[in-house]
Amino acid sequence: MRKIFLGFIVYALAELALLIVIGQNIGVLSTLLLIIATSVIGIYVMKNKGMNSVQNVKNTLARGEAPGAALVDTFLTFGGGLLLALPGFLTDALGLLLLMPFSRKMFQPIVYYWMRKKMKKGQFIIVQR
């Protein structure tokens, strides 16, 4: 628990320091507009691309195929949009990495590993209706 709390403190301080440095270099108003713009883009990505990905998972299930790849793609797309919607440049950078197809392949094995671990413990179940 202490490690998580310490991680949040370190993240918040790093994000704040980065905001100050960027604000000094490009100006406060430009920094705020950039944060707002990335938040709007993140919300757009979550709404449109996220829903397209969910539809892709449904289509995969309707064909009777395992939704593994589509599910991971949906998770990464929604996560990238969510990180873009959060204010801050570190979260924006990670969100962009999750949205880019060439760098998304880097994160796919991590998500597969996490899903397998949750399934083995019975904490992650896919229900088809």
Side-chain angles (χ1 to χ4, degrees):
M1 187 69 172
R2 287 183 186 180
K3 289 181 183 180
I4 293 172
F5 181 70
L6 183 62
F8 278 125
I9 297 295
V10 169
Y11 160 75
L13 292 175
E15 195 73 73
L16 185 60
L18 189 58
L19 283 171
I20 290 170
V21 168
I22 291 174
Q24 288 175 341
N25 288 326
I26 67 171
V28 174
L29 184 61
S30 298
T31 303
L32 290 175
L33 290 175
L34 190 58
I35 289 171
I36 291 169
T38 57
S39 294
V40 169
I41 291 168
I43 291 168
Y44 173 80
V45 166
M46 281 191 301
K47 183 179 180 204
N48 292 334
K49 290 209 173 251
M51 289 319 245
N52 290 342
S53 295
V54 168
Q55 188 61 39
N56 190 15
V57 170
K58 287 181 181 179
N59 292 340
T60 304
L61 285 172
R63 289 191 307 263
E65 299 173 6
L71 194 62
V72 169
D73 187 53
T74 301
F75 180 79
L76 291 173
T77 300
F78 188 79
L82 179 66
L83 288 172
L84 274 177
L86 293 174
F89 292 109
L90 293 176
T91 56
D92 290 346
L94 184 57
L96 285 173
L97 282 175
L98 290 177
L99 292 175
M100 299 295 165
F102 58 88
S103 61
R104 188 181 307 167
K105 293 185 188 311
M106 182 174 62
F107 293 100
Q108 286 175 343
I110 297 167
V111 175
Y112 276 120
Y113 174 77
W114 176 78
M115 285 174 51
R116 281 190 202 107
K117 196 165 91 173
K118 293 290 182 183
M119 284 181 183
K120 284 181 182 177
K121 291 181 180 178
Q123 297 172 339
F124 190 83
I125 300 169
I126 298 174
V127 178
Q128 184 176 2
R129 293 182 187 175

